[in-house]
Amino acid sequence: MSRPRRLVVSATLLLAAVAGTALLSLASKKSKYLPGQMDDQKRAMHALNRLTFGPRPGDVQRMMAMGVDKWIDLQLHPDRIDDKALDARLAQFRTLRMNTHELVEDFPPPQVIKAVMEGKEPLPSDPVKRAIYQAQIERLEQKQERKQEIAVANASAPNPAAANGADAAPAGAAPPPENQNRMSDEQLAQRREDRLYASLKTEELLNLPPDQRLKEVLKLSPEDQRALAASLKGPKADQFLEGMSPKDRETVIALNNPEQVINEELMQAKLLRTIYSDRQFEEVMTDFWFNHFNVFLNKGPDRYFVTSYERDVIRPHALGKFEDLLVATAKSPAMLFYLDNWLSVGPNSQVALGVPRYPVRPHRRYPPVAAQHGKGKGKRASSGLNENYGRELMELHTLGVNGGYSQHDVTEVARVFTGWTIEDPRKGGAFKYDDRMHDPGEKMVLGHRIKYSGEKEGMQVLHLLAHNPATAHFVCNKIAMRFVSDTPPPALVDRMAQTFLKKDGDIREVLKTMFKSPEFWSDQAYRAKVKTPLEFVVSSVRATNADVTDAMPLVRQLANMGMPLYGMQPPTGYSMLAGSWVNSSALLGRMNFSLALMSGRMKGVQVDAGQLVPAAAANAAAQPSDSQQTLAQLEATLLAGDISAQTHDAIVRRLDDPQVTQRKLDDPARPPNVPMIAGLILGSPEFQRR
Amino acid sequence: MAITRRVFLRNSALAVVGTTALPGFLARAAYGAAEPGSTNKRLVVLFQRGAADGLNIVVPHHEPAYYALRPTINIPRNKVLDLDGFFGLHPSLASFQPLWNQRQLAIVHAAGSPDPTRSHFDAQDYMESGTPGVKATDDGWLNRAAHTLPPSDEKSAFRAISMGPALPRILTGAEPAVAINNIRDFGVAGGNPKAAPIANTFEAMYDQSVDTVLHGTGKETFDAVKMLKSADPAKYTPARGADYPRGRFGDSLKQLAQLIKANLGVQIAFADIGGWDHHVNEGSTQGQIANVLQDFSQSISAFWIDLGELAEDTVVVTMSEFGRTARENGNRGTDHGHANVMFVLGGPVKGGKVYGRWPGLDPSQLYEGRDLALTTDFRCVLGEAVNRHLGNRDLTAVFPGFDNRANNFLGILG
């Protein structure tokens, strides 16, 4: 770089710096708030950072025009906010509007397929549904055949050693147990052939208009249908499905894997909601409560229960009374299955004691037999108390691990909830209270005597827990951790807990206490939280006004970043703390995501980088100073100017790098590389915070 | 490879046969040069998250109470892979048998944390912080172990690594540690040389950031990226015979082996495997526990074969937050328990033996009348590994509040 140019750059830098500071000082009015409190613009930004999944271009200005307090009040009443634009985006996902029973019927799980195979249930008459069922039947038949072949192979293999444990000598090498996932060479060859045929057929079908493809697919044999559906992956799948109606698309995917349809629609909907809903705060609270009352999507039938769980249990109660939310989760098939309560049986219940369901003619020589472990056909074949829900209800949902309960309380609570079960869980049934599973007698929970009263006992315990001061404190602390900082001020949490107890667990009231508190608006809270992967990805998409046409690539990104949607296996839910998400893998993942997003390499997401810097686009004759201007504009748009001198300088130093400016030696007329600069900002330390 | 360094040196007083026939480390020893591994003793910690059922993993098949307590989910005597007449391995652990026979695998039974909690969350927290019962500890014992190691000449960015998308509690602390989810993605823009200026810009940003949290991690990250690039792990094939099973755990160990073999100075490593919380339908010789044990043992034995001669300097320890109830529950599963089993695998391990005092499964011998009682504190096992293998002399820093004297060690490492 020649000397004069360097001088120009330094001068420009200086000017820009001075201009920048001048702008900032002009913008901040004399604060009408206490020292250590934020000014108006900061308040707007802070509110957006905390109550939404990230500001979009123009949000700060819009909010300042409306007034921050008014905006917060509006967000606290989501029913007053019109969300038609989001609804339009979600219209294509039919499963979102179906109840669990319908989901099971249209996208049958293995248990339903088995029932049909065994003749216990009829095949549906609707040709499309029928095709899905037949494809799955064929798949199950193949699986059973393979299992039989392996069993036969095992039977003829030499017996493993150590037949007699009393032998002192250590056993010699035993043959490894047959790996049930490994296929024979013959099967592998068959698989390859199937795949070849499937890809040829796909090519053929691509020549047809999209609305005719499904019809042709349905003409194939169930085996070929499934092979074709299974072979559709990645760009091939996108190509094949493009232009098809939502129902057709779902059918094609269901031919291979019915559950996949439900899960993918659920995950895509979640991302689209967090990105595009105008009821942003409601989405934030829905996410918060789902995490608090965590359910793991991939635990068996939960794959079918979670859609309704989020839609009918979590979201409607997200801003209501805590007890209502608690009861709704306690009765939800999703939670009952996830924490095993559906098969918990009281030790002295009728089921455990073998009391027959219907009166039997008494026989002198037929004494009642205590129930043994039933024949393992799944379902209600147990006679044991399961403490899982009892423990997590207190440890994770209400009192917290230090909330003052004992192991005895856990067992007693488990007894209280025996009988809270699901009608036919593997067929998508609803909550059912079964008194035959319920443990009779009195229970002692946290010093309270719970008289025997069937289902009412559970309601009583939930009421107790929902109004316990430990619960108030535990829940308010979690809320404060999400919205204020990783280590929320105890005084604030105390005041929130008081509101919780005084206002009957009214979540909205607790939130109001928090939003009106000086702690929430203190300078220390500004950008104090590190974004989780979800918050990072969504805020990037929102900050750049990107258009998401296919959310699945983003879903996969989140899985790579360690936060698969609905994918938290233990009931503790995802962490909200910085330490959990700041590590090398995560940081690299975020930097790479930022670059990919801005350079158009994130599939399914389109970013119009030009509209982020409107003035630059109009300026055809690019000058060296335009990169600086672009940078300043992007800093304002994406970060509201909250960029550190260090980050700013690091980017400025690169602005003359040809790679960044897209400028070649003799070609001074190229515009600044907006995507690259924006990518650098999204990957910067500042953007990782909210 | 049946010949170990100790056997060789014992039997042949450094007679040099012909260097081409010797495995590398022996050749180096014979020539008197310092082995590359001498300051690179490696400790690998594997965490079975979810409370693995120790009683069905290393089965006390000679204990009659075992069969009485588990009528439907026991491992029958004729299916168990016998170890010493009293204990036997679950049949899915067949790939551990050669390691046992070669005396590289040792077992500690009835080991674990003395804290009475049966909460997964708390118990894992205590095991990772290394201070059972104390919630205020904010770093992990493995990080402290790394931090108090004798200083070595080159402090590699890969000295302490964790396989997975998040840095676990056990490795949080003052010592820089790197979380690696996928080696291929570990770099900016896939290591594409055209992206170098951008990578450099990011590096400068994080290097100079006043955000302490992000600055620290950022710096470690870029150091690690640069080191990895210079080692060029582009095309990696595991050693012959190292057949990793498909799945997250096998993949983690494969990548770990790759990093170790790339000579990046890996000294401390961590990986975890979930899927052990079998409250319902645990299964016995088949079923849930059998499947996860197969994944577990085949991944570890593939890792061991893959390491080749580097196994000589490596010690692997497995742990789980607690065991499970001695008695099966009403759902053909088990609930949260207390003591558990730990595996210790390594070149210097005195294997082929089950260590620790077996408390018995009689009702009067059970902890709180329901669980396997604890006779060996997990810190005793880990302390021995950290002290005898890594050469860390400051165990009170690694396990504060625990009396970890050398004469209390079980003698697993000689």
Side-chain angles (χ1 to χ4, degrees):
Chain A
M1 191 161 50
S2 58
R3 252 191 143 246
R5 192 149 133 137
R6 212 182 290 149
L7 276 173
V8 172
V9 172
S10 328
T12 322
L13 259 173
L14 198 59
L15 272 172
V18 171
T21 356
L23 267 169
L24 278 171
S25 58
L26 275 174
S28 66
K29 298 177 247 181
K30 182 150 193 264
S31 176
K32 54 183 185 265
Y33 305 101
L34 299 164
Q37 297 280 296
M38 303 175 199
D39 62 31
D40 283 338
Q41 187 177 344
K42 253 184 160 177
R43 277 173 70 89
M45 194 60 185
H46 186 63
L48 285 167
N49 272 333
R50 296 298 161 90
L51 277 79
T52 74
F53 277 99
R56 296 165 303 180
D59 270 352
V60 174
Q61 289 79 356
R62 278 189 287 272
M63 195 195 288
M64 286 177 75
M66 180 191 256
V68 174
D69 293 329
K70 208 165 165 208
W71 182 85
I72 292 181
D73 191 57
L74 183 61
Q75 287 288 328
L76 280 170
H77 297 92
D79 46 309
R80 299 180 195 161
I81 304 173
D82 168 22
D83 223 359
K84 288 210 185 63
L86 171 75
D87 294 338
R89 280 187 187 262
L90 297 179
Q92 54 172 312
F93 303 126
R94 300 179 320 131
T95 63
L96 297 177
R97 299 183 286 280
M98 295 163 78
N99 66 43
T100 312
H101 193 73
E102 289 167 338
L103 287 176
V104 168
E105 204 183 275
D106 280 12
F107 303 98
Q111 289 76 17
V112 169
I113 297 294
K114 228 179 180 183
V116 172
M117 278 170 73
E118 291 168 1
K120 293 185 190 155
E121 307 249 343
L123 263 177
S125 46
D126 175 88
V128 167
K129 269 193 204 174
R130 196 190 190 90
I132 296 175
Y133 275 67
Q134 281 174 325
Q136 295 312 305
I137 288 173
E138 185 271 324
R139 178 211 228 179
L140 199 60
E141 279 173 351
Q142 256 198 19
K143 218 182 181 180
Q144 286 174 342
E145 263 176 43
R146 212 180 296 153
K147 260 196 186 151
Q148 271 188 7
E149 284 174 20
I150 290 173
V152 165
N154 268 348
S156 53
N159 235 346
N164 191 348
D167 280 345
E178 187 72 28
N179 187 344
Q180 302 202 325
N181 293 329
R182 226 165 268 171
M183 294 192 287
S184 68
D185 291 324
E186 196 181 289
Q187 288 168 324
L188 283 166
Q190 178 67 45
R191 257 255 184 116
R192 250 175 275 137
E193 206 182 289
D194 289 341
R195 252 181 270 160
L196 191 64
Y197 178 73
S199 67
L200 285 172
K201 196 71 191 176
T202 310
E203 288 303 324
E204 203 183 295
L205 290 172
L206 278 173
N207 292 328
L208 290 173
D211 56 347
Q212 297 193 8
R213 282 180 205 152
L214 180 64
K215 216 180 346 149
E216 287 303 312
V217 171
L218 293 179
K219 288 186 188 161
L220 301 169
S221 74
E223 208 178 310
D224 290 335
Q225 282 175 20
R226 210 177 53 77
L228 191 141
S231 75
L232 289 175
K233 290 198 177 83
K236 212 14 115 49
D238 295 339
Q239 213 184 353
F240 190 84
L241 297 171
E242 192 177 340
M244 288 176 95
S245 73
K247 182 154 189 242
D248 282 1
R249 213 179 298 154
E250 285 168 2
T251 307
V252 171
I253 299 174
L255 285 172
N256 178 44
N257 187 343
E259 289 168 349
Q260 189 181 337
V261 177
I262 303 169
N263 291 354
E264 287 194 355
E265 294 199 350
L266 184 67
M267 293 191 237
Q268 290 196 61
K270 166 117 189 171
L271 271 183
L272 291 172
R273 279 183 181 277
T274 53
I275 297 170
Y276 295 112
S277 175
D278 282 325
R279 300 178 180 176
Q280 277 287 297
F281 187 60
E282 187 183 58
E283 281 318 304
V284 171
M285 288 310 290
T286 304
D287 184 58
F288 174 81
W289 287 122
F290 191 100
N291 206 40
H292 181 78
F293 291 106
N294 183 65
V295 168
F296 178 49
L297 182 66
N298 282 326
K299 183 168 175 173
D302 271 323
R303 293 192 188 104
Y304 291 86
F305 290 135
V306 174
T307 305
S308 165
Y309 182 64
E310 193 182 54
R311 176 191 67 216
D312 305 324
V313 172
I314 302 289
R315 189 171 292 112
H317 296 111
L319 292 170
K321 294 264 174 81
F322 181 75
E323 183 174 350
D324 293 339
L325 175 58
L326 182 66
V327 170
T329 61
K331 287 191 168 175
S332 67
M335 185 62 76
L336 286 166
F337 188 83
Y338 174 60
L339 291 179
D340 304 319
N341 199 67
W342 70 286
L343 40 63
S344 178
V345 169
N348 292 309
S349 64
Q350 295 168 50
V351 165
L353 297 176
V355 174
R357 184 188 294 271
Y358 303 110
V360 211
R361 203 181 307 145
H363 193 289
R364 250 178 291 135
R365 267 182 268 152
Y366 186 76
V369 178
Q372 298 299 314
H373 303 286
K375 277 276 173 193
K377 281 207 172 81
K379 291 174 210 131
R380 216 79 53 64
S382 62
S383 60
L385 190 67
N386 190 299
E387 293 180 359
N388 210 356
Y389 181 64
R391 174 187 309 285
E392 312 302 8
L393 170 65
M394 290 192 288
E395 181 180 329
L396 300 175
H397 296 172
T398 56
L399 306 172
V401 74
N402 294 319
Y405 61 90
S406 66
Q407 170 62 42
H408 185 70
D409 287 321
V410 171
T411 315
E412 291 292 274
V413 170
R415 284 181 60 215
V416 163
F417 284 100
T418 47
W420 285 51
T421 183
I422 310 171
E423 177 88 59
D424 228 350
R426 302 200 190 261
K427 301 227 187 107
F431 169 78
K432 170 174 134 172
Y433 171 74
D434 186 344
D435 197 53
R436 284 172 43 82
M437 296 168 79
H438 186 71
D439 207 43
E442 218 174 60
K443 291 96 180 164
M444 281 295 279
V445 175
L446 298 169
H448 292 260
R449 181 171 286 132
I450 311 284
K451 282 217 191 83
Y452 174 56
S453 51
E455 186 181 335
K456 290 212 197 84
E457 296 169 30
M459 298 299 287
Q460 209 183 327
V461 169
L462 291 172
H463 182 80
L464 262 172
L465 292 172
H467 291 85
N468 189 304
T471 301
H473 209 89
F474 181 64
V475 170
C476 290
N477 192 57
K478 274 187 99 173
I479 295 176
M481 264 177 31
R482 172 102 186 214
F483 290 102
V484 180
S485 86
D486 285 359
T487 47
L492 172 63
V493 176
D494 284 341
R495 293 199 316 274
M496 288 164 71
Q498 274 173 39
T499 306
F500 186 105
L501 290 168
K502 245 189 266 176
K503 301 275 178 135
D504 198 31
D506 190 323
I507 299 162
R508 192 180 275 118
E509 292 299 318
V510 171
L511 292 164
K512 278 195 198 154
T513 301
M514 186 177 66
F515 292 139
K516 293 201 162 82
S517 73
E519 289 96 336
F520 183 79
W521 299 105
S522 103
D523 264 334
Q524 287 172 331
Y526 192 71
R527 289 201 186 269
K529 293 279 295 175
V530 171
K531 293 177 183 169
T532 62
L534 176 66
E535 289 164 351
F536 167 72
V537 167
V538 175
S539 66
S540 308
V541 175
R542 281 173 66 81
T544 53
N545 243 348
D547 185 24
V548 178
T549 47
D550 178 10
M552 281 314 293
L554 289 176
V555 169
R556 280 176 222 126
Q557 274 288 315
L558 279 173
N560 279 344
M561 291 182 178
M563 200 178 198
L565 291 173
Y566 307 102
M568 189 63 179
Q569 206 172 9
T572 41
Y574 286 116
S575 164
M576 295 184 277
L577 304 177
S580 311
W581 302 112
V582 179
N583 60 73
S584 331
S585 224
L587 280 188
L588 285 172
R590 294 182 188 206
M591 290 178 227
N592 286 323
F593 174 82
S594 308
L595 295 173
L597 176 69
M598 291 314 302
S599 61
R601 280 183 291 115
M602 186 56 56
K603 286 192 62 195
V605 185
Q606 279 83 45
V607 181
D608 181 0
Q611 48 88 20
L612 289 174
V613 205
N619 191 346
Q623 306 279 313
S625 64
D626 283 332
S627 311
Q628 304 275 1
Q629 235 178 59
T630 308
L631 174 59
Q633 276 179 302
L634 284 170
E635 286 170 355
T637 310
L638 299 172
L639 278 174
D642 288 328
I643 196 154
S644 69
Q646 292 81 358
T647 301
H648 179 87
D649 290 343
I651 301 179
V652 162
R653 276 199 295 275
R654 287 293 160 205
L655 283 182
D656 285 312
D657 187 317
Q659 295 259 359
V660 176
T661 58
Q662 291 185 154
R663 204 165 294 148
K664 296 193 175 119
L665 274 174
D666 299 321
D667 180 17
R670 290 278 214 102
N673 192 338
V674 175
M676 203 62 79
I677 301 175
L680 286 170
I681 293 177
L682 291 179
S684 71
E686 285 81 0
F687 198 79
Q688 306 316 311
R689 288 190 173 274
R690 61 177 179 88
Chain B
M1 179 186 79
I3 299 177
T4 66
R5 186 173 104 237
R6 288 172 300 178
V7 172
F8 179 80
L9 290 174
R10 249 186 275 132
N11 294 348
S12 68
L14 290 179
V16 177
V17 179
T19 51
T20 47
L22 286 176
F25 65 81
L26 293 180
R28 285 188 282 275
Y31 279 84
E35 300 155 293
S38 57
T39 50
N40 268 359
K41 300 283 182 184
R42 257 163 258 107
L43 177 63
V44 178
V45 177
L46 301 178
F47 206 115
Q48 300 157 282
R49 293 200 189 274
D53 188 12
L55 289 173
N56 266 8
I57 298 176
V58 175
V59 180
H61 63 81
H62 208 66
E63 172 96 49
Y66 168 75
Y67 291 97
L69 290 165
R70 296 175 166 212
T72 71
I73 60 167
N74 64 69
I75 313 298
R77 274 207 190 95
N78 63 351
K79 290 272 160 64
V80 138
L81 304 175
D82 185 47
L83 294 172
D84 60 5
F86 188 89
F87 291 107
L89 291 174
H90 185 292
S92 292
L93 294 175
S95 48
F96 275 1
Q97 269 193 320
L99 302 172
W100 173 267
N101 294 337
Q102 282 164 214
R103 299 195 195 279
Q104 291 186 317
L105 177 68
I107 294 170
V108 187
H109 221 319
S113 162
D115 192 270
T117 185
R118 289 198 187 86
S119 148
H120 285 301
F121 190 62
D122 275 356
Q124 285 184 21
D125 203 56
Y126 292 153
M127 268 216 169
E128 294 191 60
S129 71
T131 54
V134 178
K135 288 213 173 155
T137 313
D138 52 10
D139 53 3
W141 68 264
L142 196 53
N143 188 289
R144 295 195 294 273
H147 199 56
T148 51
L149 276 180
S152 66
D153 299 324
E154 310 154 11
K155 243 202 183 180
S156 155
F158 283 95
R159 200 178 187 213
I161 64 179
S162 164
M163 308 306 300
L167 195 71
R169 188 89 162 70
I170 206 175
L171 266 179
T172 14
E175 191 70 9
V178 169
I180 302 182
N181 194 22
N182 192 323
I183 295 183
R184 283 191 313 275
D185 300 334
F186 201 76
V188 175
N192 181 350
K194 282 207 189 136
I198 294 159
N200 293 340
T201 311
F202 274 135
E203 187 179 346
M205 268 188 222
Y206 280 88
D207 192 46
Q208 287 144 34
S209 174
V210 294
D211 184 326
T212 36
V213 174
L214 292 169
H215 159 76
T217 310
K219 197 160 184 337
E220 285 154 32
T221 306
F222 283 105
D223 286 344
V225 168
K226 279 184 279 198
M227 279 201 72
L228 193 58
K229 217 188 271 183
S230 64
D232 192 21
K235 280 198 165 36
Y236 179 71
T237 21
R240 232 163 60 100
D243 292 323
Y244 291 95
R246 288 175 61 185
R248 190 184 82 89
F249 186 59
D251 202 48
S252 298
L253 292 188
K254 177 157 68 165
Q255 296 203 40
L256 180 58
Q258 184 178 343
L259 289 168
I260 291 174
K261 287 160 80 171
N263 216 359
L264 295 165
V266 175
Q267 283 188 269
I268 283 174
F270 177 86
D272 57 16
I273 169 172
W276 299 92
D277 199 17
H278 304 136
H279 285 278
V280 179
N281 277 332
E282 180 174 319
S284 63
T285 53
Q286 305 270 334
Q288 291 190 79
I289 194 169
N291 292 339
V292 70
L293 280 174
Q294 191 164 66
D295 186 17
F296 180 69
S297 68
Q298 286 185 351
S299 301
I300 294 176
S301 59
F303 173 72
W304 203 243
I305 295 172
D306 201 3
L307 283 183
E309 45 183 70
L310 294 174
E312 184 62 23
D313 289 325
T314 308
V315 169
V316 177
V317 184
T318 72
M319 54 200 286
S320 192
E321 65 264 38
F322 37 71
R324 304 190 77 83
T325 45
R327 206 174 282 110
E328 65 177 73
N329 65 25
N331 303 138
R332 293 154 152 262
T334 45
D335 292 316
H336 301 174
H338 199 54
N340 207 337
V341 73
M342 295 173 80
F343 289 103
V344 186
L345 170 66
V349 167
K350 289 203 144 120
K353 185 175 164 198
V354 177
Y355 291 82
R357 180 178 69 78
W358 178 247
L361 290 177
D362 241 42
S364 59
Q365 295 167 325
L366 293 176
Y367 174 77
E368 293 187 358
R370 51 180 271 169
D371 311 324
L372 180 64
L374 189 84
T375 58
T376 303
D377 193 296
F378 74 108
R379 290 169 287 182
C380 186
V381 179
L382 299 174
E384 184 173 348
V386 166
N387 177 276
R388 286 240 167 90
H389 185 62
L390 292 181
N392 183 309
R393 306 238 176 276
D394 196 1
L395 285 181
T396 44
V398 181
F399 293 113
F402 183 64
D403 182 10
N404 219 338
R405 272 172 289 174
N407 53 3
N408 285 342
F409 289 162
L410 294 171
I412 306 174
L413 290 169

